[in-house]
Amino acid sequence: MFLGLDCSTQSFSALIIDASKGTIIHEASVNFEGDLPHYQTSSGFVHGDLPGEVFSDPLMWVEALDLLLTRLVESGADLSAIEAISGSGQQHATVYLNDRFNSTLADLQSVSCLKDQLVSCLSRPLSPIWMDSSTAQECEEIASAIGGNDELCRRTGSTATQRFSGAQIRRFSKLSPEAWQDTAHVHLNSSFLACVLAGKSVDIDHGDGAGMNLMNLKSGDWDEEIVNITAEGLADKLPALKPSSTIAGNISPYFVEKYQFNPEAKVALWSGDNPCSLVGMGAASPGKMVISLGTSYTLFAAMNQPVTDPSGFGHVFGNPCGGFMSLICFSEGALALEKLRSELDITWNEFSDAAMSQEQSPIRSLLDKQFLNMKARGEWMGQSPGTIYVTGGASKNQGICQTIANIFESNVQRISTSSSAGLGASMRAAHATGDFSLDDLEKKFTVPDSESTISPNPETVTTYQNL
Ligand code: XUL
C-alpha cells in the first residue's frame, strides 16, 4: 500500500492506494480554515500588511499533518502496511529555516507534536504563497540583471514571475536582512514536508524546483548565476535538486512510534501539485493534454524537450516521471461563464444547450474566444494532442467539452476526480519503489469516465481554422 499526501492551499489530504489491485483504500482530509481556526486563515491563507502579500503558516501545515494521520488511524487505516509515501504541495511557497532545523528533525520526540518542536526552527514565521503578488520590483531586478526576461525564460522555463520563489526570496532578503542572515535553509512547501517525514534534510525535486525561477532546465541543477543574482548567500541555503522519483530515506521514527508506520517505509521526494496532477490525471507521457476547467482554467501537458513560451505566458516545470511539462494558467475561466450565465438570467442546462449549438449567441462567442485563445497560447508547446483530458466543475458541461474538441480537433475525455494531486503523489510513491510501472498504474487508476469520449465535429473544423 502507498500513501499520497497533498498539502494544498485550503486543505491537507491523504489517500492510500493498493497499487496491485488498483483501488483507493482510505481517504482523509483536514481543512485549514474549519479544522484549525486558531490560525485565523480564510481558505488557508492570510493577507499581509503590504499590498499583494499573501501568506500561509508552515506550523499550520505540520499541525494538519499530525491531525491528518490521527484521522487516518481513527478511520481504521493500518499505516504499518504502507510501503512508501510521497506528497504534493502547493507550488512556489517558500519556507525559511534556521540552523536548528536539521538537529530538531533528527531528534523529533513522539510524545510531543510536530508544531511545538518545529516552531523554534523557523527564521521567518510565515510562508509567502502562490497567490502573493508583491514582488513586481524584484521580478524586474532579477530579469534585468540576467539580461532580460527572454534569457531568464530560456534558462528557467519562465519569465520572472511574481508568485515564483526566486522573486519572493529576493524580497525577503531585502526587507528582512537580519532574518535572512539567520536563514540556513530555504525549502519549498513540498520539500519542507518531505524533510519532516524523513526526519532529515531532503532535496527539492525537478517538478517543483522548476517553479522557482532558479533551476536551469537543461542541466536540472541550480543556475549559479541566477541564484547569485537573486539573493546574497542563497547558494548555501538551497538543498540540492534531484529527480522526483528519488527515495529520500526511511520514515522518521517519530511517525513509527506515533502512528505505527513500518520503520522501513520509504519517503520519496515530494513534488508540486501541478506535476503531481499530471501523473494523477494519467497524462505523464507526451501525447495527452489536460485542461482543468475550474474558477481559473489551467492547461498542462508532458513534453520531451524543454521548449519555452516566447511570449512568456506559459511555464515549464519538470515532469515527475522524467522530461518536462508545460503549464498555462488562464484566470477567470469558469468565473466568466458564471458571470455571463447570471447576466443572461438562464439555468446551466440552458447555457449548455446554447453551447452545443453553432448558432451565434453571446455564449457561443465567449466559449469560442476562451478556447481559441487557449489553443493559440498553447501553440509554442508544438503538441497536437491525441486526447485531451478535461476535469474540474465546468467539464460536466457537454457543450463546453464539444467546443474544446472542435477547436483543438482532438478527442476529449472527462476524468472526474477531485484529488488528482494526492492520487498522483500515491502513484509516484508506488513508482519510486521500482515495483510498478507508470503505465500499469495509469491503467489502474486513471480511467476516463465511461462513454465520455467527445469527438470533433468535422463541419466546424474549417470555420475554427479560419478564426
Ligand atoms: C502554479 C500555481 C498554482 C499553485 C496552486 O504555477 O501557482 O497552480 O500550484 O496550488
Side-chain angles (χ1 to χ4, degrees):
M1 296 204 296
F2 299 91
L3 171 62
L5 296 167
D6 176 22
C7 182
S8 73
T9 313
Q10 303 194 27
S11 60
F12 205 144
S13 40
L15 189 141
I16 298 177
I17 58 168
D18 181 328
S20 305
K21 293 199 184 123
T23 48
I24 295 175
I25 307 173
H26 284 284
E27 284 184 81
S29 188
V30 169
N31 179 277
F32 294 136
E33 182 182 336
D35 290 320
L36 302 172
H38 43 287
Y39 290 95
Q40 299 186 329
T41 69
S42 143
S43 304
F45 59 87
V46 291
H47 289 280
D49 294 337
L50 299 173
E53 286 183 340
V54 183
F55 298 106
S56 187
D57 191 331
L59 293 179
M60 178 177 77
W61 303 335
V62 294
E63 185 171 350
L65 178 58
D66 266 329
L67 180 57
L68 182 65
L69 295 175
T70 305
R71 284 189 178 168
L72 269 183
V73 172
E74 280 171 3
S75 73
D78 174 11
L79 300 184
S80 70
I82 303 289
E83 293 158 65
I85 307 160
S86 190
S88 154
Q90 51 169 301
Q91 293 202 253
H92 317 300
T94 33
V95 184
Y96 301 79
L97 299 138
N98 60 31
D99 59 8
R100 286 187 288 281
F101 186 46
N102 287 350
S103 54
T104 304
L105 287 177
D107 193 31
L108 285 175
Q109 300 298 316
S110 60
V111 287
S112 175
C113 63
L114 292 172
K115 175 189 149 200
D116 287 353
Q117 296 178 82
L118 290 166
V119 60
S120 63
C121 299
L122 292 168
S123 55
R124 182 184 196 180
L126 296 179
S127 175
I129 65 162
W130 63 279
M131 297 165 82
D132 186 291
S133 58
S134 64
T135 60
Q137 193 184 333
E138 286 73 22
C139 284
E140 265 183 50
E141 289 164 358
I142 293 169
S144 77
I146 200 70
N149 261 319
D150 289 351
E151 180 60 12
L152 190 65
C153 185
R154 196 185 62 75
R155 293 201 205 180
T156 68
S158 300
T159 56
T161 305
Q162 294 210 39
R163 66 187 189 282
F164 277 35
S165 317
Q168 295 292 341
I169 293 168
R170 180 172 177 79
R171 180 173 151 91
F172 178 57
S173 73
K174 280 168 52 185
L175 295 189
S176 309
E178 282 177 18
W180 176 243
Q181 278 288 326
D182 192 34
T183 300
H185 315 278
V186 178
H187 274 285
L188 293 175
N189 164 301
S190 59
S191 59
F192 166 66
L193 291 164
C195 290
V196 173
L197 272 184
K200 62 176 188 181
S201 182
V202 310
D203 301 323
I204 291 182
D205 87 301
H206 288 146
D208 218 9
M212 299 177 79
N213 265 152
L214 294 171
M215 184 184 108
N216 188 300
L217 284 181
K218 294 215 171 74
S219 68
D221 221 329
W222 301 119
D223 188 301
E224 247 177 74
E225 201 183 345
I226 302 175
V227 167
N228 291 335
I229 282 168
T230 298
E232 203 189 319
L234 175 58
D236 298 331
K237 304 180 201 279
L238 287 170
L241 283 159
K242 288 276 164 56
S244 318
S245 55
T246 307
I247 299 279
N250 289 354
I251 192 164
S252 152
Y254 173 90
F255 298 96
V256 176
E257 288 157 23
K258 201 158 187 162
Y259 304 106
Q260 288 75 53
F261 277 95
N262 181 337
E264 293 298 311
K266 306 291 175 221
V267 177
L269 292 190
W270 284 40
S271 191
D273 53 0
N274 293 297
C276 286
S277 282
L278 184 80
V279 180
M281 290 289 293
S285 337
K288 298 165 193 164
M289 192 182 262
V290 179
I291 299 179
S292 169
L293 299 167
T295 311
S296 299
Y297 296 158
T298 53
L299 176 150
F300 51 87
M303 300 190 299
N304 285 325
Q305 296 303 322
V307 229
T308 52
D309 180 2
S311 66
F313 289 105
H315 305 291
V316 180
F317 298 141
N319 175 343
C321 296
F324 303 88
M325 69 175 284
S326 57
L327 174 102
I328 316 179
C329 293
F330 300 84
S331 54
E332 302 182 5
L335 216 56
L337 304 185
E338 169 53 24
K339 184 157 190 283
L340 179 61
R341 187 199 63 80
S342 80
E343 267 172 18
L344 297 173
D345 198 16
I346 56 171
T347 64
W348 276 116
N349 281 344
E350 288 164 331
F351 187 99
S352 189
D353 289 344
M356 281 302 284
S357 151
Q358 281 306 119
E359 253 170 60
Q360 273 315 307
S361 68
I363 293 169
R364 174 79 279 123
S365 164
L366 174 62
L367 291 177
D368 287 351
K369 279 177 191 149
Q370 281 193 332
F371 293 104
L372 282 165
N373 176 49
M374 187 181 274
K375 188 179 184 199
R377 295 283 181 213
E379 244 143 36
W380 59 273
M381 292 162 10
Q383 311 245 8
S384 40
T387 309
I388 297 177
Y389 290 158
V390 291
T391 188
S395 68
K396 293 191 194 87
N397 189 305
Q398 189 75 7
I400 295 178
C401 294
Q402 187 65 59
T403 305
I404 295 173
N406 294 349
I407 289 180
F408 283 84
E409 297 168 47
S410 294
N411 285 336
V412 167
Q413 288 190 323
R414 275 192 204 104
I415 298 208
S416 54
T417 166
S418 54
S419 49
S420 57
L423 176 61
S426 66
M427 290 164 67
R428 294 204 308 100
H431 185 228
T433 59
D435 295 336
F436 296 90
S437 75
L438 187 68
D439 214 34
D440 179 31
L441 292 166
E442 281 191 348
K443 281 196 191 103
K444 283 175 176 154
F445 287 102
T446 62
V447 187
D449 295 355
S450 56
E451 296 170 31
S452 76
T453 306
I454 298 150
S455 307
N457 174 357
E459 285 168 27
T460 64
V461 168
T462 335
T463 319
Y464 281 127
Q465 280 173 356
N466 291 338
L467 280 170

